[in-house]
Amino acid sequence: MPEPDHSARQTTGDAPDAWGEVVSSNSAVSDTTARESSISPGVQHPVSSGDAAPDPTKPASTDADELATRMPIVDREAPAASDWRAKIRGSGVGNLIVIGVTLLAVIIGAWLVMRPDDAEGEGGSGVSAVEVQGVGAAPVVGDAAPGFSASTLDGSPIALDDLRGRPVWLVFMATWCTACRVEIPDVEAFHEKAGDDVEVIAVYVGEEPSVVQPYVDRLGLSFTQLPDAQTSLSAAYGVMGVPAHYFLDSQGVVQEARVGVLSPDQIEESIAKTAA
């Protein structure tokens, strides 16, 4: 019986594995080649029906992009304002609130516009400048008050010399002066209390009787009103701002000179000096 020829096994490179089986080297090479061809570039591979085919016109997505597309979208905008404001605006109470706030703003604005000026004078505040032609030096305490003769608002003549024997309070003012308007009720109140014991005279700087009369009627003033349309009396007393006050004793001597709004207590103090 001829001996088996083992040379063919050795030339082909076959070798028995650990279990005594023969593994063909050619088969191993074929498997390796197949695996390489499966990842070779440019080779198209079939896609299972469960996966979507890649779009060759779009760049390959990264893992981060894929994760972002899978994450739920969270709305990070600020939460909408509560509808309680809308409910208030739509209600009758809301309308009243809006009207009340608006009215308050108007009142505050009007007060800011109409309040007395911030300029300070001796004894008071709220001085408004006036233009007086030929204004001279103002008399000071101890000076004899400049004499004058004029006509009151009702046409009656008045002269300083005729007022000797009682104190005189001269109030230089103007119908447009806000500070004057503020203090005029206190002037009227003092006149009603003092009566004929003190002569109170309002001198309207640079204003005609036709302007002064409606002002006096509207405020119900009962003391002497003296329009000074030509500002001659105002110039004699050196008036450059209103209200301005001169308190004369019974002999016509200046005992107190003050500029600005006076309080009731300041009025009493000044009048007391004329009787000293």
Side-chain angles (χ1 to χ4, degrees):
M1 184 175 182
E3 295 180 358
D5 187 2
H6 298 287
S7 60
R9 180 186 301 177
Q10 295 174 353
T11 57
T12 60
D14 294 339
D17 62 359
W19 299 94
E21 296 178 351
V22 176
V23 179
S24 172
S25 61
N26 292 334
S27 175
V29 171
S30 298
D31 293 342
T32 302
T33 302
R35 286 194 300 272
E36 291 176 351
S37 65
S38 66
I39 60 174
S40 297
V43 179
Q44 297 292 334
H45 301 283
V47 180
S48 65
S49 60
D51 297 330
D55 188 349
T57 63
K58 296 182 179 178
S61 61
T62 62
D63 292 343
D65 294 336
E66 183 179 358
L67 180 60
T69 58
R70 293 182 180 181
M71 291 180 64
I73 298 176
V74 179
D75 186 5
R76 296 185 180 276
E77 295 182 357
S82 175
D83 61 348
W84 64 269
R85 296 177 183 174
K87 292 180 179 178
I88 290 179
R89 287 194 296 266
S91 65
V93 176
N95 291 334
L96 291 177
I97 293 175
V98 172
I99 293 173
V101 172
T102 303
L103 181 60
L104 180 61
V106 171
I107 293 173
I108 293 175
W111 180 83
L112 291 175
V113 172
M114 298 299 295
R115 66 179 177 173
D117 299 335
D118 292 333
E120 292 292 332
E122 181 184 356
S125 63
V127 180
S128 297
V130 292
E131 184 176 351
V132 176
Q133 298 296 328
V135 63
V140 297
V141 174
D143 288 349
F148 61 86
S149 296
S151 297
T152 64
L153 186 59
D154 61 6
S156 301
I158 185 172
L160 181 60
D161 289 342
D162 296 338
L163 301 176
R164 295 287 177 87
R166 54 178 172 168
V168 176
W169 175 15
L170 295 174
V171 185
F172 291 87
M173 56 185 299
T175 59
W176 50 263
C177 169
T178 304
C180 304
R181 176 66 182 84
V182 169
E183 82 170 355
I184 201 67
D186 293 331
V187 179
E188 175 66 24
F190 173 81
H191 166 68
E192 292 177 357
K193 181 178 68 173
D196 294 335
D197 292 341
V198 177
E199 182 70 28
V200 181
I201 304 174
V203 181
Y204 292 86
V205 181
E207 295 190 294
E208 298 284 350
S210 60
V211 176
V212 176
Q213 188 67 65
Y215 181 82
V216 172
D217 293 342
R218 184 169 66 254
L219 298 180
L221 305 180
S222 60
F223 54 94
T224 304
Q225 311 293 314
L226 184 60
D228 186 23
Q230 303 303 317
T231 67
S232 56
L233 181 54
S234 302
Y237 280 79
V239 176
M240 300 179 67
V242 291
H245 308 268
Y246 286 91
F247 296 88
L248 317 179
D249 62 19
S250 59
Q251 300 303 313
V253 177
V254 177
Q255 297 296 331
E256 182 86 325
R258 310 184 80 158
V259 179
V261 177
L262 301 185
S263 68
D265 289 342
Q266 290 172 323
I267 293 172
E268 293 289 349
E269 291 172 2
S270 298
I271 291 295
K273 292 180 180 181
T274 65

